[in-house]
Amino acid sequence: MASQTTVLKVGMSCQGCVGAVKRVLGKLEGVESYDIDFDAQKVTVKSNLPPETVLQTVSKTGKKTAYWEAEAPAPAEPEAKPAETVAAA
């Protein structure tokens, strides 16, 4: 599988949370690199893994984890698209 970037929103409240995320990503085979933006609660992972695998692994830390694009989940209307969808330039 080709290398791809997975961007996650992770609820990290302290540096201990950041350490937990670093630990699981560091152990995950297939991860090439990752960047953790504590202030934005954003984790960017470059790997040759499916995004679902990266999401599941990070969520094992016990932190609230979601794909970055999914700002507000609407379970009642799964077909609803976020209003601020950015068109590819």
Side-chain angles (χ1 to χ4, degrees):
M1 182 180 237
S3 183
Q4 62 182 355
T5 302
T6 305
V7 184
L8 303 172
K9 185 174 184 74
V10 183
M12 299 173 288
S13 57
C14 65
Q15 289 305 313
C17 300
V18 174
V21 173
K22 282 183 179 176
R23 208 164 31 255
V24 295
L25 289 175
K27 288 183 191 171
L28 185 60
E29 261 184 62
V31 171
E32 294 169 26
S33 63
Y34 57 86
D35 178 64
I36 299 173
D37 184 336
F38 177 71
D39 293 328
Q41 305 280 289
K42 186 177 192 176
V43 177
T44 306
V45 182
K46 189 172 181 194
S47 72
N48 57 10
L49 300 165
E52 187 61 28
T53 301
V54 177
L55 178 84
Q56 292 295 329
T57 301
V58 174
S59 67
K60 285 179 187 169
T61 61
K63 308 297 163 218
K64 185 174 181 334
T65 308
Y67 292 114
W68 186 255
E69 295 77 19
E71 284 300 313
E77 303 171 89
E79 73 280 352
K81 298 275 183 267
E84 67 275 2
T85 300
V86 179

